Amino acid sequence: MEEPTSPVVKSLADVEFVFFDLDDCLYQNDYRTERILTEQIGNVMKSRLNMEKHLAKALYLEHGTTIRGLLNTKKVKPGKELMDIVQEFHDVDLSDVKPAKGLRDMIQKVKKRRFIFTASIREHAEKCLERLGIADLFENIIDAHACKYYSKHSDQAFRTAMNIAGVKHAHQC
């Protein structure tokens, strides 16, 4: 598999796979959901881990994701506790997640294999996609758990996404 850092797409005909970001991309609500998630993460860190809320942002900045930061700093261990915390991070109100006019038609015009590639967990993505009425348009959801909580902006996460989707060469997506 090629390194995904700088794929060169010579023609859109080469593209066979499309990764769609979810939060604040397939829907827009002035980043309300991001703010709610950020607040929830801070609250959970305070209540479950006895950590100051502001450390969530520091962990995110240093490690690419707050969860990866919690793992790297040994604040949580992989396993049930981690899964429970991650679920609780995403237990938020999604009533502001609404489809934009024409969203479904626009996505259907993309005649390639379509995947969601998200920094959130599968359950959060599924709830959002259902609210948007587009869950059936994607082949799979590649979530934070699948990428071992590395930032979706990292080469490691992108290689994982490519592997899950069956991409052989970076220029194909």
Side-chain angles (χ1 to χ4, degrees):
M1 183 182 307
E2 292 178 14
E3 285 296 314
T5 50
S6 57
V8 176
V9 176
K10 295 180 179 150
S11 164
L12 286 180
D14 293 341
V15 175
E16 298 175 35
F17 306 84
V18 178
F19 294 136
F20 287 81
D21 193 358
L22 176 66
D23 292 313
D24 301 308
C25 291
L26 288 180
Y27 68 86
Q28 296 182 342
N29 59 9
D30 291 323
Y31 298 96
R32 182 177 184 280
T33 303
E34 177 188 4
R35 288 190 302 275
I36 291 170
L37 284 166
T38 300
E39 181 69 18
Q40 177 73 353
I41 290 167
N43 291 339
V44 172
M45 286 178 57
K46 180 88 172 140
S47 67
R48 297 268 314 234
L49 302 172
N50 199 27
M51 294 175 68
E52 294 300 318
K53 290 181 180 185
H54 72 275
L55 292 176
K57 179 81 171 190
L59 289 170
Y60 171 83
L61 292 172
E62 186 175 340
H63 300 276
T65 69
T66 302
I67 300 164
R68 173 58 33 209
L70 290 170
L71 288 166
N72 288 352
T73 59
K74 313 272 192 256
K75 301 293 184 193
V76 292
K77 295 178 185 168
K80 182 172 176 10
E81 179 189 27
L82 172 66
M83 297 308 293
D84 289 348
I85 287 170
V86 171
Q87 288 291 333
E88 200 171 337
F89 280 178
H90 291 86
D91 185 18
V92 298
D93 175 28
L94 297 174
S95 61
D96 273 2
V97 175
K98 297 175 183 166
K101 184 177 179 169
L103 175 65
R104 185 175 182 82
D105 291 339
M106 184 268 308
I107 293 169
Q108 286 178 312
K109 288 178 183 175
V110 178
K111 302 294 185 194
K112 308 293 181 177
R113 293 180 64 193
R114 300 179 295 246
F115 297 82
I116 294 293
F117 184 31
T118 181
S120 294
I121 58 173
R122 174 177 291 277
E123 295 82 356
H124 172 80
E126 288 170 344
K127 288 176 190 174
C128 289
L129 292 171
E130 286 298 323
R131 291 194 59 78
L132 295 171
I134 57 174
D136 61 310
L137 300 181
F138 298 93
E139 197 170 314
N140 199 352
I141 296 168
I142 303 163
D143 71 341
H145 180 70
C147 295
K148 296 182 173 56
Y149 304 104
Y150 285 97
S151 168
K152 67 183 172 189
H153 306 289
S154 71
D155 283 352
Q156 182 170 352
F158 197 73
R159 278 193 293 274
T160 298
M162 288 172 52
N163 187 46
I164 290 169
V167 177
K168 292 191 182 356
H169 304 286
H171 70 271
Q172 294 175 293
C173 54

